[in-house]
Amino acid sequence: MKVILFCQNPYAFGILEPIMQVLKQKEFDYLWFVKKPIKNKFPFKNETLTSNMEVVKTFKSDVIFVPGNEVPYYLRGLKVQVFHGLAGEKKGHFRIRHYFDLYLTQGPYFTQRFLKLKNKYKNFDVLETGWPKLDIYGNELHKYDEEKKALLNNYNAKKIVLYAPTFSPSLTSAPYLIDEFKKLAKNKDHLILIKFHDLMAEELIVAYQQIAKENSKVIFEEERNIIKFLLMADIMVSDTSSVVYEFLLLDKPVITFKSNSKNIQWDNSLEYKNLEAKIISNLQEDVFQKERQNIVAQYHPYNDGKSALRMVETVQDYIAKNGVPEKRKLSFLRKLKIHKIFGKY
């Protein structure tokens, strides 16, 4: 089986890496497509990649795994949506753009929604596999325990607070919590890790980098793999970000500010204040622990570390039954959009 690992944004690397490892084990032929603007961020130095769509077309893939919203209709291969997050309330998460043959869903909440859309549009299939980015939860849950212990010792702190907001201008809490984090930084018990999305506004990046320069208990993290910081943190602060769900699946408390989730089962503040008090309260009492179990059951009930394997084996079975599409039918306007993004081939 020949596979394309299709990347338009840097977050795709961490999502597709577990799939790559399964492809290696099965000795399948694969190629990374990485858009030119993010090529210098590609973390796997010994892997074959291309930014040339003509090379991808010539590869004649059987499967294309895509943790994004678009994929060229003219490429050979089963076009598979593997998603880039768990926030179903995000604008566009359940929007059908007609580029994909198969949606591989993370858990029952997503499966049920996409099955309804399948019945409406009748031009794609839906199968539940779990999400490969979270395979580390099943395989290497304690991978960073020693690093966490060393960090706390070095900074003479007791708990790690992770701040991971969304970049979306209409949803992000970052502009409104600057003073709150300056206050929190004076609490000697807490080490604050700030992890921003690649698309966060530059002025906000600069503002929080300055907080880190001025406060010894604040670290502005440049490393792209947020999973590391999710595993290390004791509590997370965020807003309407899909990373909230990734953290809740670790059964640890979350505080959000003005989240627009329709299914809030954690501490959500409607005002940008009292950050320190909320952190202390949630670490000591953790009153939302039972509610987190509902999130696990609905959003991602797979803790066996085998979602990537399920994805690969699912597409194998699907192709055995249905064959490999040479291309996908699209409307003129959809084709035009693909031509603007990837070129016309």
Side-chain angles (χ1 to χ4, degrees), residues 14 17-19 21-22 25 131-145 227 231 250 300 302-310:
E17 182 183 9
I19 295 177
Q21 298 302 336
V22 173
Q25 292 164 11
W131 198 38
K133 184 181 176 183
L134 302 185
D135 278 358
I136 191 172
Y137 289 9
N139 298 327
E140 299 179 282
L141 187 62
H142 300 288
K143 182 177 181 179
Y144 301 105
D145 283 4
I227 290 290
L231 292 173
L250 289 165
H300 197 272
Y302 304 95
N303 61 2
D304 58 1
K306 294 181 178 180
S307 292
L309 176 62
R310 274 189 293 273

Side-chain angles (χ1 to χ4, degrees), residues 131-254:
W131 198 38
K133 184 181 176 183
L134 302 185
D135 278 358
I136 191 172
Y137 289 9
N139 298 327
E140 299 179 282
L141 187 62
H142 300 288
K143 182 177 181 179
Y144 301 105
D145 283 4
E146 288 303 313
E147 187 171 344
K148 175 182 178 177
K149 184 178 179 181
L151 261 180
L152 290 172
N153 286 337
N154 291 341
Y155 286 86
N156 193 26
K158 295 179 181 178
K159 299 290 183 180
I160 292 179
V161 178
L162 174 64
Y163 180 44
T166 184
F167 71 92
S168 302
S170 62
L171 300 174
T172 186
S173 57
Y176 312 106
L177 290 179
I178 292 173
D179 289 339
E180 288 295 310
F181 274 103
K182 287 180 180 178
K183 293 176 191 173
L184 182 64
K186 294 178 172 60
N187 188 316
K188 295 181 179 180
D189 288 340
H190 301 144
L191 175 62
I192 303 166
L193 307 183
I194 297 172
K195 178 70 181 77
F196 279 176
H197 192 284
D198 294 293
L199 300 178
M200 180 64 81
E202 184 63 29
E203 64 270 19
L204 292 172
I205 293 174
V206 171
Y208 280 85
Q209 285 175 333
Q210 189 61 35
I211 294 175
K213 288 178 183 177
E214 295 173 355
N215 296 276
S216 61
K217 290 291 178 78
V218 181
I219 304 173
F220 190 93
E221 295 289 357
E222 302 285 356
E223 188 173 334
R224 286 195 162 77
N225 182 14
I226 194 170
I227 290 290
K228 173 181 177 178
F229 307 117
L230 298 181
L231 292 173
M232 291 171 63
D234 295 290
I235 189 169
M236 187 173 76
V237 180
S238 190
D239 37 50
T240 308
S241 171
S242 65
V243 79
V244 166
Y245 297 97
E246 295 177 40
F247 196 75
L248 289 168
L249 294 173
L250 289 165
D251 195 22
K252 295 189 283 192
V254 168

Side-chain angles (χ1 to χ4, degrees), residues 56-110:
V56 179
K57 197 166 188 293
T58 305
F59 186 73
K60 293 190 179 299
S61 53
D62 300 305
V63 180
I64 309 171
F65 286 110
V66 188
N69 295 329
E70 299 93 12
V71 61
Y73 67 93
Y74 46 72
L75 294 178
R76 182 182 191 269
L78 184 72
K79 296 161 184 66
V80 183
Q81 169 63 267
V82 300
F83 300 101
H84 56 267
L86 296 169
E89 66 276 0
K90 279 287 189 75
K91 183 180 179 181
H93 191 95
F94 293 102
R95 183 186 302 158
I96 301 302
R97 297 172 174 86
H98 303 285
Y99 298 123
F100 297 97
D101 304 299
L102 179 63
Y103 288 76
L104 297 182
T105 53
Q106 309 98 317
Y109 170 74
F110 302 97

